[in-house]
PDB file of all heavy atoms in Angstrom:
ATOM      1  N   ALA A  71     -61.649 -50.724 -51.530  1.00 94.00           N
ATOM      2  CA  ALA A  71     -62.376 -50.632 -50.257  1.00 94.00           C
ATOM      3  C   ALA A  71     -61.740 -51.512 -49.181  1.00 94.00           C
ATOM      4  O   ALA A  71     -61.793 -51.169 -47.992  1.00 94.00           O
ATOM      5  CB  ALA A  71     -63.834 -51.028 -50.458  1.00 94.00           C
ATOM      6  N   TYR A  72     -61.147 -52.637 -49.583  1.00 96.00           N
ATOM      7  CA  TYR A  72     -60.552 -53.564 -48.623  1.00 96.00           C
ATOM      8  C   TYR A  72     -59.019 -53.464 -48.570  1.00 96.00           C
ATOM      9  O   TYR A  72     -58.381 -54.226 -47.847  1.00 96.00           O
ATOM     10  CB  TYR A  72     -60.953 -55.008 -48.955  1.00 96.00           C
ATOM     11  CG  TYR A  72     -62.388 -55.308 -48.607  1.00 96.00           C
ATOM     12  CD1 TYR A  72     -63.396 -55.176 -49.554  1.00 96.00           C
ATOM     13  CD2 TYR A  72     -62.742 -55.696 -47.324  1.00 96.00           C
ATOM     14  CE1 TYR A  72     -64.719 -55.437 -49.232  1.00 96.00           C
ATOM     15  CE2 TYR A  72     -64.058 -55.953 -46.985  1.00 96.00           C
ATOM     16  CZ  TYR A  72     -65.046 -55.822 -47.951  1.00 96.00           C
ATOM     17  OH  TYR A  72     -66.349 -56.070 -47.625  1.00 96.00           O
ATOM     18  N   GLY A  73     -58.452 -52.576 -49.348  1.00 97.00           N
ATOM     19  CA  GLY A  73     -57.002 -52.429 -49.372  1.00 97.00           C
ATOM     20  C   GLY A  73     -56.297 -53.625 -49.990  1.00 97.00           C
ATOM     21  O   GLY A  73     -55.209 -54.002 -49.571  1.00 97.00           O
ATOM     22  N   ARG A  74     -56.920 -54.225 -50.986  1.00 97.00           N
ATOM     23  CA  ARG A  74     -56.364 -55.397 -51.668  1.00 97.00           C
ATOM     24  C   ARG A  74     -56.334 -55.158 -53.175  1.00 97.00           C
ATOM     25  O   ARG A  74     -56.965 -54.244 -53.693  1.00 97.00           O
ATOM     26  CB  ARG A  74     -57.215 -56.644 -51.394  1.00 97.00           C
ATOM     27  CG  ARG A  74     -57.362 -56.979 -49.959  1.00 97.00           C
ATOM     28  CD  ARG A  74     -56.084 -57.577 -49.425  1.00 97.00           C
ATOM     29  NE  ARG A  74     -56.342 -58.132 -48.100  1.00 97.00           N
ATOM     30  CZ  ARG A  74     -55.492 -58.076 -47.126  1.00 97.00           C
ATOM     31  NH1 ARG A  74     -54.328 -57.521 -47.285  1.00 97.00           N
ATOM     32  NH2 ARG A  74     -55.790 -58.587 -45.954  1.00 97.00           N
ATOM     33  N   SER A  75     -55.648 -56.039 -53.871  1.00 97.00           N
ATOM     34  CA  SER A  75     -55.560 -55.909 -55.327  1.00 97.00           C
ATOM     35  C   SER A  75     -56.810 -56.469 -55.998  1.00 97.00           C
ATOM     36  O   SER A  75     -57.585 -57.208 -55.385  1.00 97.00           O
ATOM     37  CB  SER A  75     -54.333 -56.663 -55.844  1.00 97.00           C
ATOM     38  OG  SER A  75     -54.530 -58.060 -55.690  1.00 97.00           O
ATOM     39  N   ARG A  76     -56.972 -56.121 -57.249  1.00 97.00           N
ATOM     40  CA  ARG A  76     -58.081 -56.613 -58.049  1.00 97.00           C
ATOM     41  C   ARG A  76     -58.028 -58.134 -58.171  1.00 97.00           C
ATOM     42  O   ARG A  76     -59.055 -58.810 -58.095  1.00 97.00           O
ATOM     43  CB  ARG A  76     -58.036 -55.970 -59.441  1.00 97.00           C
ATOM     44  CG  ARG A  76     -59.111 -56.459 -60.388  1.00 97.00           C
ATOM     45  CD  ARG A  76     -58.804 -56.120 -61.833  1.00 97.00           C
ATOM     46  NE  ARG A  76     -57.566 -56.684 -62.322  1.00 97.00           N
ATOM     47  CZ  ARG A  76     -57.381 -57.955 -62.681  1.00 97.00           C
ATOM     48  NH1 ARG A  76     -58.366 -58.818 -62.590  1.00 97.00           N
ATOM     49  NH2 ARG A  76     -56.218 -58.382 -63.123  1.00 97.00           N
ATOM     50  N   THR A  77     -56.844 -58.699 -58.301  1.00 97.00           N
ATOM     51  CA  THR A  77     -56.719 -60.151 -58.450  1.00 97.00           C
ATOM     52  C   THR A  77     -57.107 -60.877 -57.157  1.00 97.00           C
ATOM     53  O   THR A  77     -57.683 -61.957 -57.206  1.00 97.00           O
ATOM     54  CB  THR A  77     -55.294 -60.553 -58.873  1.00 97.00           C
ATOM     55  OG1 THR A  77     -54.349 -60.006 -57.955  1.00 97.00           O
ATOM     56  CG2 THR A  77     -54.982 -60.058 -60.277  1.00 97.00           C
ATOM     57  N   THR A  78     -56.797 -60.275 -56.017  1.00 97.00           N
ATOM     58  CA  THR A  78     -57.196 -60.874 -54.739  1.00 97.00           C
ATOM     59  C   THR A  78     -58.711 -60.894 -54.620  1.00 97.00           C
ATOM     60  O   THR A  78     -59.296 -61.897 -54.205  1.00 97.00           O
ATOM     61  CB  THR A  78     -56.580 -60.100 -53.559  1.00 97.00           C
ATOM     62  OG1 THR A  78     -55.155 -60.169 -53.663  1.00 97.00           O
ATOM     63  CG2 THR A  78     -57.018 -60.679 -52.221  1.00 97.00           C
ATOM     64  N   VAL A  79     -59.339 -59.794 -54.992  1.00 97.00           N
ATOM     65  CA  VAL A  79     -60.804 -59.717 -54.938  1.00 97.00           C
ATOM     66  C   VAL A  79     -61.416 -60.737 -55.890  1.00 97.00           C
ATOM     67  O   VAL A  79     -62.399 -61.396 -55.555  1.00 97.00           O
ATOM     68  CB  VAL A  79     -61.302 -58.291 -55.257  1.00 97.00           C
ATOM     69  CG1 VAL A  79     -62.810 -58.262 -55.414  1.00 97.00           C
ATOM     70  CG2 VAL A  79     -60.856 -57.327 -54.172  1.00 97.00           C
ATOM     71  N   ASN A  80     -60.822 -60.895 -57.062  1.00 97.00           N
ATOM     72  CA  ASN A  80     -61.322 -61.883 -58.019  1.00 97.00           C
ATOM     73  C   ASN A  80     -61.217 -63.282 -57.425  1.00 97.00           C
ATOM     74  O   ASN A  80     -62.139 -64.090 -57.561  1.00 97.00           O
ATOM     75  CB  ASN A  80     -60.561 -61.799 -59.333  1.00 97.00           C
ATOM     76  CG  ASN A  80     -61.176 -62.675 -60.392  1.00 97.00           C
ATOM     77  OD1 ASN A  80     -62.379 -62.616 -60.637  1.00 97.00           O
ATOM     78  ND2 ASN A  80     -60.354 -63.505 -61.017  1.00 97.00           N
ATOM     79  N   TYR A  81     -60.123 -63.578 -56.732  1.00 97.00           N
ATOM     80  CA  TYR A  81     -59.964 -64.872 -56.063  1.00 97.00           C
ATOM     81  C   TYR A  81     -61.046 -65.056 -54.998  1.00 97.00           C
ATOM     82  O   TYR A  81     -61.653 -66.123 -54.898  1.00 97.00           O
ATOM     83  CB  TYR A  81     -58.562 -64.982 -55.445  1.00 97.00           C
ATOM     84  CG  TYR A  81     -58.415 -66.205 -54.577  1.00 97.00           C
ATOM     85  CD1 TYR A  81     -58.192 -67.457 -55.156  1.00 97.00           C
ATOM     86  CD2 TYR A  81     -58.521 -66.116 -53.202  1.00 97.00           C
ATOM     87  CE1 TYR A  81     -58.083 -68.594 -54.360  1.00 97.00           C
ATOM     88  CE2 TYR A  81     -58.410 -67.245 -52.401  1.00 97.00           C
ATOM     89  CZ  TYR A  81     -58.193 -68.475 -52.988  1.00 97.00           C
ATOM     90  OH  TYR A  81     -58.080 -69.597 -52.204  1.00 97.00           O
ATOM     91  N   TRP A  82     -61.274 -64.022 -54.187  1.00 97.00           N
ATOM     92  CA  TRP A  82     -62.317 -64.088 -53.150  1.00 97.00           C
ATOM     93  C   TRP A  82     -63.678 -64.373 -53.772  1.00 97.00           C
ATOM     94  O   TRP A  82     -64.446 -65.181 -53.274  1.00 97.00           O
ATOM     95  CB  TRP A  82     -62.406 -62.774 -52.382  1.00 97.00           C
ATOM     96  CG  TRP A  82     -61.282 -62.472 -51.453  1.00 97.00           C
ATOM     97  CD1 TRP A  82     -60.297 -63.328 -51.013  1.00 97.00           C
ATOM     98  CD2 TRP A  82     -61.011 -61.213 -50.842  1.00 97.00           C
ATOM     99  NE1 TRP A  82     -59.452 -62.668 -50.168  1.00 97.00           N
ATOM    100  CE2 TRP A  82     -59.860 -61.368 -50.034  1.00 97.00           C
ATOM    101  CE3 TRP A  82     -61.610 -59.969 -50.887  1.00 97.00           C
ATOM    102  CZ2 TRP A  82     -59.321 -60.331 -49.288  1.00 97.00           C
ATOM    103  CZ3 TRP A  82     -61.086 -58.931 -50.137  1.00 97.00           C
ATOM    104  CH2 TRP A  82     -59.949 -59.116 -49.349  1.00 97.00           C
ATOM    105  N   LYS A  83     -63.960 -63.670 -54.848  1.00 97.00           N
ATOM    106  CA  LYS A  83     -65.262 -63.813 -55.510  1.00 97.00           C
ATOM    107  C   LYS A  83     -65.442 -65.228 -56.056  1.00 97.00           C
ATOM    108  O   LYS A  83     -66.484 -65.855 -55.848  1.00 97.00           O
ATOM    109  CB  LYS A  83     -65.388 -62.780 -56.636  1.00 97.00           C
ATOM    110  CG  LYS A  83     -66.706 -62.799 -57.361  1.00 97.00           C
ATOM    111  CD  LYS A  83     -66.758 -61.710 -58.421  1.00 97.00           C
ATOM    112  CE  LYS A  83     -65.667 -61.945 -59.417  1.00 97.00           C
ATOM    113  NZ  LYS A  83     -65.474 -60.935 -60.434  1.00 97.00           N
TER     114      LYS A  83
END
Side-chain angles (χ1 to χ4, degrees):
Y72 286 94
R74 302 285 191 217
S75 69
R76 177 196 60 77
T77 54
T78 299
V79 171
N80 188 51
Y81 172 79
W82 288 347
K83 182 178 61 186

